Amino acid sequence: MKNSIIVYLCLVGLFMHGCGGESEKSAKEENPANFIDTSLIKDGMGDEMYDRARTMFYSMPSPIELQTMIEQAGGYFRADLLHNPQTSSQYQTTEQQAMALGVYGTDMSYSTVFNQQQESLLFLAASQRVSKKMGIHDPFNGNLIERANANMSDKDSMLLIVSELYWELNSQLQEENRNQLGLIVLAAGWLEGIYLGTQIMDSENPQQEISQVLIDQRFVASQLNEMFIDYKEDSFIKATEPFFRPLIDKFLSLKMDEQATTIKESGGKMVIGGAAKVLFGPGDLKEIKTLASEARAKIIMI
């Protein structure tokens, strides 16, 4: 493993903030069956668990990073792998919408990294539509869409816009304690990243660099697993965690060669580094590809 392995999370905390005040009230009135009251989460979970959840969320980098790593490892763009942004209207429940946001967020990042800015704008619009259904309005106000349209031919500017959006929404998510929604969007974004990476990879003769990037996602799986355990009594998590459990368990089954593993804080994120190595055989990547494909098919069709 590289000396400074940055564990991914696709999202994505992205698009995950829940609006407070009038926005939260409006969401409840517009869609009471899907509204989740998160106002007492901190008190209910205890300060220690709450602080651990915040640390884990902030240790996850933006969804741009996994796609950048895949690009640098020799990956390429395949439009046929992306979820159709025009299907955003089919997601009606909060569970469906949270998972759709994770998928759209990672597809937007994938498109942006590979300089497919028209596709990136389509996924930005799809994310906005789903977010509004969830009562999430503020992050898409102002000149965000205008900036994206004006800079669609400039990859660096688009990367900056996507990253800014991630950090703003992730911060608001944490401030408003909507952690269980954030966890599911995060998990769905991660799953989509694994799906894209394994589809690009040659299963019969996997590229070493891409294989390593994907196998190193075991560290993310471990963090997601801890968060799912923390929220195991939450009804929202009970309904959604099973979609991700087989893939997480597969990653956790991979053995570790933990030589000189280090975990340190860098720029507000927790970075795993050192000589730690994930041990895997030729069949492990194929199984990960199968599990990712099966889980992804379920979460986009529910």
Side-chain angles (χ1 to χ4, degrees):
M1 191 166 65
K2 298 177 182 178
N3 288 336
S4 179
I5 291 179
I6 302 178
V7 293
Y8 166 69
L9 228 288
C10 142
L11 307 53
V12 196
L14 180 62
F15 311 122
M16 283 330 314
H17 105 277
C19 298
E22 291 300 316
S23 297
E24 194 163 307
K25 179 180 178 181
S26 175
K28 183 175 182 179
E29 292 173 348
E30 292 175 4
N31 203 354
N34 292 340
F35 182 77
I36 298 177
D37 183 3
T38 60
S39 61
L40 300 178
I41 285 180
K42 181 173 181 179
D43 291 337
M45 70 191 298
D47 287 342
E48 182 179 350
M49 187 191 301
Y50 174 79
D51 291 340
R52 184 163 66 251
R54 286 179 61 87
T55 298
M56 287 184 179
F57 273 108
Y58 279 119
S59 75
M60 302 292 189
S62 77
I64 289 289
E65 293 188 0
L66 178 60
Q67 302 311 319
T68 299
M69 292 166 68
I70 289 176
E71 179 195 35
Q72 293 172 347
Y76 53 92
F77 183 77
R78 279 184 55 185
D80 62 298
L81 296 178
L82 303 177
H83 186 34
N84 183 358
Q86 301 304 319
T87 62
S88 59
S89 61
Q90 77 183 39
Y91 302 111
Q92 300 299 318
T93 70
T94 302
E95 290 91 344
Q96 293 170 346
Q97 292 158 1
M99 288 191 277
L101 280 177
V103 172
Y104 288 144
T106 293
D107 285 354
M108 180 176 69
S109 298
Y110 176 67
S111 299
T112 303
V113 165
F114 286 94
N115 206 27
Q116 303 294 319
Q117 308 311 346
Q118 184 60 51
E119 284 81 3
S120 182
L121 289 176
L122 292 175
F123 286 109
L124 175 61
S127 299
Q128 181 183 35
R129 290 192 294 270
V130 174
S131 296
K132 286 185 176 180
K133 287 184 178 181
M134 300 173 70
I136 303 173
H137 304 284
D138 293 350
F140 297 93
N141 289 340
N143 64 351
L144 175 68
I145 303 298
E146 290 77 6
R147 285 177 59 202
N149 276 292
N151 291 280
M152 63 178 296
S153 61
D154 187 333
K155 176 181 175 179
D156 290 339
S157 294
M158 287 295 292
L159 287 171
L160 179 61
I161 290 169
V162 171
S163 296
E164 286 179 358
L165 181 60
Y166 167 81
W167 287 114
E168 177 185 350
L169 298 182
N170 194 49
S171 295
Q172 292 183 28
L173 165 68
Q174 292 303 306
E175 290 170 3
E176 296 173 7
N177 303 332
R178 294 174 64 108
N179 293 336
Q180 81 277 52
L181 284 175
L183 172 54
I184 295 307
V185 176
L186 197 68
W190 173 73
L191 170 62
E192 180 74 353
I194 300 298
Y195 168 76
L196 293 173
T198 52
Q199 291 295 315
I200 291 170
M201 177 191 68
D202 182 348
S203 298
E204 298 304 320
N205 187 26
Q207 303 92 317
Q208 181 179 354
E209 293 82 0
I210 295 179
S211 299
Q212 194 62 59
V213 169
L214 293 170
I215 287 296
D216 285 341
Q217 296 309 300
R218 187 198 186 285
F219 298 104
V220 180
S222 179
Q223 289 189 292
L224 288 172
N225 184 60
E226 290 186 38
M227 285 191 278
F228 276 128
I229 291 173
D230 283 345
Y231 287 96
K232 64 182 179 181
E233 300 303 323
D234 183 277
S235 59
F236 181 77
I237 297 302
K238 286 181 179 179
T240 49
E241 184 263 355
F243 289 99
F244 309 102
R245 177 49 54 190
L247 184 60
I248 289 175
D249 284 347
K250 173 57 188 176
F251 273 107
L252 295 181
S253 74
L254 300 176
K255 303 301 182 182
M256 295 286 298
D257 179 9
E258 303 192 20
Q259 301 177 37
T261 304
T262 60
I263 303 177
K264 62 181 180 179
E265 184 175 348
S266 176
K269 301 177 184 178
M270 300 305 293
V271 178
I272 300 176
K277 183 178 181 180
V278 182
L279 305 177
F280 65 101
D284 290 317
L285 283 169
K286 287 186 178 181
E287 186 175 355
I288 288 170
K289 178 178 181 178
T290 298
L291 291 172
S293 296
E294 291 174 350
R296 197 259 197 176
K298 291 177 181 178
I299 69 173
I300 66 173
M301 294 300 294
I302 58 174

